Amino acid sequence: MFDMSPKEYGDFVAARAPGTKPVKNVLLAFLVGGGICVLGQGLTEGYTALGLAEETAKTCSTVSLVFLSALLTALHVYDDIARFAGAGIVVPITGFANAVAAPAIEFKTEGFILGTAVKMFVIAGPVIVFGTVASVVYGVVYWICTIL
């Protein structure tokens, strides 16, 4: 087994890898992601009914979704939902909250500074950096296109 060529090893792994069910995965992601959107809209409507301005209600809805995601991460429930729902729970803002909360919780035993604070943005940090760079590049290209 250790004297395999890369092609033989690839065939060996492919024969033993579990198959994927793309239709099921897409449907679950759509339903769960849509459910999160419905929850967010319901929160917004609820906050508006309590008398908050629409923009403030939207902000409170976003904060509530982030809080719920972090809470589910801390209770070790988020990973179970993610295994079931796939991208449906990982892609929205809930996934970003999980990406920040999970490392912070995992490394809390190393202390507040060297554990929680340092590890909090291990996963989310590159997303923030590349998102910021991409938005700057897009802004510059847009600006150039508008002046020509």
Side-chain angles (χ1 to χ4, degrees):
M1 178 177 358
F2 294 108
D3 295 329
M4 291 183 186
S5 71
K7 167 90 170 94
E8 291 171 325
Y9 180 73
D11 294 341
F12 175 78
V13 170
R16 285 157 182 79
T20 60
K21 299 174 182 159
V23 173
K24 176 186 169 199
N25 292 344
V26 168
L27 184 61
L28 283 173
F30 175 78
L31 292 174
V32 173
I36 291 169
C37 293
V38 168
L39 174 62
Q41 185 63 42
L43 288 168
T44 300
E45 297 297 326
Y47 288 130
T48 303
L50 291 174
L52 295 178
E54 186 177 351
E55 288 301 313
T56 305
K58 289 177 182 179
T59 301
C60 289
S61 176
T62 302
V63 170
S64 297
L65 288 173
V66 168
F67 172 76
L68 287 172
S69 179
L71 178 64
L72 291 174
T73 300
L75 296 173
H76 304 287
V77 175
Y78 191 93
D79 288 340
D80 296 332
I81 298 170
R83 256 189 291 299
F84 171 76
I89 196 167
V90 176
V91 173
I93 194 166
T94 54
F96 184 78
N98 173 261
V100 172
I105 293 167
E106 182 179 347
F107 292 99
K108 70 181 177 185
T109 57
E110 295 181 24
F112 180 72
I113 301 296
L114 297 177
T116 302
V118 170
K119 300 294 184 177
M120 189 177 294
F121 292 102
V122 167
I123 296 171
V127 174
I128 295 169
V129 169
F130 288 110
T132 303
V133 170
S135 67
V136 168
V137 169
Y138 175 79
V140 169
V141 169
Y142 180 77
W143 177 73
I144 290 171
C145 289
T146 58
I147 62 170
L148 294 178

